[in-house]
Amino acid sequence: MEVQRDKGIRRPTWRELLLLLPFAFSYAFFIVLGDWQKSASYSNLLNVGRLFLWMLASYGILLLFCFFLDNRKCLFKGAERQGHWWIWLIFFLLCLLCYLPYYLMYFPTWFNNDAVWQMEQALGLAARSNHHPYFHTLLMKVFLTVGYGLFGTYTAAVALYTFFQMALVAAVFGLYLYLLYRRGTRILWLALAVVFYAFLPVNGMLSICMGKDAWFTAAFLLFVWAVLGCGTAEVARKRQWVLFYVAGVAVCLLRSNGIFVFLGTAFFLIMSIWCRKVNGISREQMHLGRQRLFFSVAMVLGSYFLWQGPILHGLQVEQPDTIESLAMPTQHLLCAYVRGGSLTEEEVAMLEAVVPLAEIEEYYNPYLFDVTKNYIREYGDQEVIAKNRGAYAKLWFRVGLRNPMQYLEAEIRQTAGYYALHTPHDQYLYTEYYMVDNPFGIETERKVFSYDDSLAMGKFLQGFQALYNRVWSLGANTWLLLLGLAYSLYRRQNALVYVPCLMLLGSLLLATPVYNEFRYAYGVFAALPLLLAYSFGERADEKIEREEGTQG
């Protein structure tokens, strides 16, 4: 029975008690399977017991946490503030100023092999490929063409591209800070968010990396913001769906798993808006919002398939090879073979037709599919799969029925970094700080600091990376994300804003080539301040109660 707020402590309802059970199970699952080596040495009965005990402990902690927050004065939100464009400008300039030293230190960019290949495609020196999204390659081409035309060197052209990318990241992060400010986020939490977005070295370094990750993260955060607005009275406004369309198309075109993020989000968005009413708008406005939702989703999908089909074909862009998208099925099958699973001679022969098995143990890496993938490209024949997709799908299914534990082991080892708090390998936030050899004559030209000081900056970045690995992880991102989601559902908030992040994580669990790659889940990390402020902030009904109490 629910107790009124003004009469004492509010006890949780049966609905709220039951709601926390799947989240408690998720945490217990992460703990037990995240340490696969230890769990594998125990019996099945003992592992079930461990899972049950961890579930009880997780449930108790979750219940105490939600009960405490539900009976406290709001920690994250106060009265809403009036927003002005110059407040966003201040946040934008602050982020840009904080990223500028990295840009000047590693001028004109952080140049890796992927960027070299994309630049060769942009300049017509290599065959066009959609292995890295060609949409991003075209964006690079625009800045390279303009920059070279203005300044006459590729170094200056790359510097122009990198500066714009850095400014884009700063603008989107500044927008998130502005949204937190507008929502009435309390000063302490807002200050922590400023430190998070402006001062963390990982944001500065990735903003100057000449790759798709910064662009995708910016698009992803705008998409999260668009979804947040779609669950409010903004649902009937045309500008909200224009933002949804633009951000949705960008998410789909800037990363191969972007289409899965959009499709999953669109499904839950349609179900939510179709089945519920939004407070503060009429039935006619709600009907208009539904119409615009369907139209916007159709427009995004139409734009995506038009790009993936006729446009890329007309531009003579090659699609990624077959093995690129088969990380998880290949790891499942090879784990069953390498770990001595049950395979028939015919099944082994089908594997042998794709990948030479004589030296597979040397090339099989349960955490990193790239090693196996490149081995198959060089010595195997992936076209066999392309010509017999149905037969190899049946092969994967049949072997999995007889070897479920090997499949589970492969799945855990290939994905554990995204939900386990601790992993056996360090996570690289920005790998090495280098300028790779390239055919364009581009070299690092430091614009600030002496050489000795630049080494000090390198030590600082390496030190921060080591600190991050000691106190944080991608698994911690997921745990915190689920905590915010659990509390949002506990207090009956609209949790649509969490769906894009869940879809992004889900796509990684289904198809990640690296088990613990920060940049793949960077969007989740960057969205956390807004998500947590939303979950732990003040609900609309709490605001009304507070205002009525003030007036009384």
Side-chain angles (χ1 to χ4, degrees), residues 377-419:
R377 284 170 175 161
E378 186 171 357
Y379 300 105
D381 186 3
Q382 56 181 307
E383 291 304 313
V384 174
I385 301 177
K387 296 175 182 178
N388 303 276
R389 295 180 183 275
Y392 276 89
K394 293 178 182 178
L395 170 68
W396 173 80
F397 183 74
R398 290 197 310 268
V399 174
L401 289 178
R402 294 197 306 274
N403 302 275
M405 294 308 296
Q406 283 82 1
Y407 273 35
L408 179 61
E409 177 183 349
E411 184 72 27
I412 292 169
R413 289 176 182 252
Q414 188 64 37
T415 61
Y418 299 103
Y419 53 81

Side-chain angles (χ1 to χ4, degrees), residues 297-522:
V297 170
M299 285 292 291
V300 172
L301 294 179
S303 300
Y304 172 76
F305 289 114
L306 181 64
W307 172 264
Q308 287 293 108
I311 294 179
L312 288 185
H313 180 73
L315 293 173
Q316 298 181 331
V317 177
E318 298 177 358
Q319 292 295 342
D321 57 9
T322 303
I323 200 63
E324 179 67 26
S325 59
L326 296 178
M328 298 312 301
T330 306
Q331 291 290 69
H332 293 157
L333 287 166
L334 290 180
C335 182
Y337 176 80
V338 172
R339 303 298 184 196
S342 174
L343 282 82
T344 65
E345 292 184 1
E346 179 185 358
E347 290 166 346
V348 172
M350 289 184 69
L351 281 178
E352 182 75 39
V354 177
V355 50
L357 298 177
E359 300 180 10
I360 190 59
E361 292 194 18
E362 180 181 350
Y363 290 94
Y364 170 69
N365 187 319
Y367 304 102
L368 177 64
F369 183 60
D370 287 350
V371 178
T372 307
K373 177 173 62 180
N374 292 330
Y375 174 64
I376 293 173
R377 284 170 175 161
E378 186 171 357
Y379 300 105
D381 186 3
Q382 56 181 307
E383 291 304 313
V384 174
I385 301 177
K387 296 175 182 178
N388 303 276
R389 295 180 183 275
Y392 276 89
K394 293 178 182 178
L395 170 68
W396 173 80
F397 183 74
R398 290 197 310 268
V399 174
L401 289 178
R402 294 197 306 274
N403 302 275
M405 294 308 296
Q406 283 82 1
Y407 273 35
L408 179 61
E409 177 183 349
E411 184 72 27
I412 292 169
R413 289 176 182 252
Q414 188 64 37
T415 61
Y418 299 103
Y419 53 81
L421 289 180
H422 303 288
T423 56
H425 308 98
D426 283 341
Q427 182 181 188
Y428 294 101
L429 304 183
Y430 23 68
T431 62
E432 301 296 332
Y433 326 112
Y434 58 84
M435 170 67 66
V436 298
D437 293 333
N438 59 85
F440 314 108
I442 300 175
E443 297 180 352
T444 300
E445 301 175 5
R446 295 180 178 87
K447 302 299 181 182
V448 294
F449 309 122
S450 68
Y451 183 74
D452 291 338
D453 288 333
S454 70
L455 288 180
M457 173 64 87
K459 291 179 180 178
F460 164 72
L461 291 172
Q462 291 172 344
F464 177 82
Q465 184 164 265
L467 175 65
Y468 181 93
N469 280 304
R470 285 196 296 269
V471 303
W472 203 251
S473 66
L474 289 179
N477 292 350
T478 303
W479 282 51
L480 198 55
L481 181 76
L482 291 180
L483 181 63
L485 174 61
Y487 187 64
S488 283
L489 296 175
Y490 182 90
R491 65 200 302 232
R492 297 178 182 271
Q493 276 186 312
N494 182 2
L496 275 175
V497 68
Y498 280 87
V499 174
C501 293
L502 294 175
M503 293 299 107
L504 178 58
L505 286 173
S507 69
L508 293 175
L509 297 182
L510 290 174
T512 177
V514 186
Y515 93 114
N516 191 30
E517 183 69 28
F518 176 83
R519 62 191 181 92
Y520 289 164
Y522 184 34

Side-chain angles (χ1 to χ4, degrees), residues 166-180:
M166 179 178 64
L168 174 67
V169 172
V172 174
F173 286 174
L175 174 64
Y176 261 49
L177 290 170
Y178 174 72
L179 294 175
L180 292 174

Side-chain angles (χ1 to χ4, degrees), residues 58-337:
S58 301
Y59 184 80
I61 294 172
L62 270 175
L63 184 59
L64 288 174
F65 179 82
C66 293
F67 178 77
F68 168 74
L69 286 184
D70 209 36
N71 290 281
R72 62 46 175 130
K73 291 183 178 180
C74 192
L75 298 176
F76 292 92
K77 191 175 182 191
E80 292 187 1
R81 304 182 181 97
Q82 184 177 2
H84 301 281
W85 67 269
W86 53 265
I87 296 175
W88 165 80
L89 182 62
I90 290 174
F91 286 134
F92 161 60
L93 292 177
L94 176 62
C95 291
L96 187 64
L97 183 64
C98 290
Y99 304 159
L100 197 58
Y102 302 102
Y103 175 69
L104 297 176
M105 173 66 67
Y106 297 100
F107 186 91
T109 193
W110 171 24
F111 211 25
N112 55 34
N113 288 315
D114 290 342
V116 172
W117 184 29
Q118 285 187 268
M119 188 169 169
E120 288 176 337
Q121 294 178 52
L123 298 178
L125 303 177
R128 299 167 181 170
S129 172
N130 202 37
H131 179 90
H132 298 291
Y134 193 70
F135 180 75
H136 175 248
T137 303
L138 286 182
L139 292 173
M140 291 175 57
K141 182 175 182 177
V142 170
F143 287 96
L144 293 173
T145 302
V146 173
Y148 191 83
L150 290 175
F151 306 108
T153 67
Y154 286 125
T155 298
V158 168
L160 178 65
Y161 165 87
T162 307
F163 184 84
F164 183 87
Q165 176 180 278
M166 179 178 64
L168 174 67
V169 172
V172 174
F173 286 174
L175 174 64
Y176 261 49
L177 290 170
Y178 174 72
L179 294 175
L180 292 174
Y181 174 86
R182 280 287 305 273
R183 285 181 57 84
T185 304
R186 295 186 183 274
I187 295 300
L188 176 60
W189 184 252
L190 185 61
L192 291 175
V194 169
V195 171
F196 180 93
Y197 285 119
F199 294 100
L200 284 187
V202 61
N203 294 325
M205 285 300 294
L206 287 181
S207 74
I208 67 167
C209 175
M210 195 172 179
K212 60 183 177 292
D213 302 301
W215 287 83
F216 175 78
T217 300
F220 180 79
L221 294 183
L222 291 176
F223 185 63
V224 170
W225 178 37
V227 172
L228 174 62
C230 292
T232 67
E234 298 287 324
V235 69
R237 295 190 177 181
K238 185 183 297 184
R239 66 182 183 185
Q240 185 64 36
W241 295 108
V242 171
L243 173 64
F244 180 83
Y245 168 76
V246 172
V249 169
V251 164
C252 291
L253 299 186
L254 285 169
R255 177 157 277 161
S256 57
N257 62 337
I259 182 62
F260 300 105
V261 174
F262 178 80
L263 285 174
T265 304
F267 172 79
F268 284 101
L269 190 58
I270 290 171
M271 294 298 295
S272 175
I273 294 181
W274 187 264
C275 300
R276 63 183 288 272
K277 293 178 64 177
V278 175
N279 294 329
I281 66 172
S282 65
R283 181 178 298 179
E284 291 74 16
Q285 288 176 311
M286 195 67 203
H287 180 67
L288 179 61
R290 292 190 183 109
Q291 287 182 329
R292 288 177 172 169
L293 166 62
F294 286 117
F295 180 74
S296 299
V297 170
M299 285 292 291
V300 172
L301 294 179
S303 300
Y304 172 76
F305 289 114
L306 181 64
W307 172 264
Q308 287 293 108
I311 294 179
L312 288 185
H313 180 73
L315 293 173
Q316 298 181 331
V317 177
E318 298 177 358
Q319 292 295 342
D321 57 9
T322 303
I323 200 63
E324 179 67 26
S325 59
L326 296 178
M328 298 312 301
T330 306
Q331 291 290 69
H332 293 157
L333 287 166
L334 290 180
C335 182
Y337 176 80

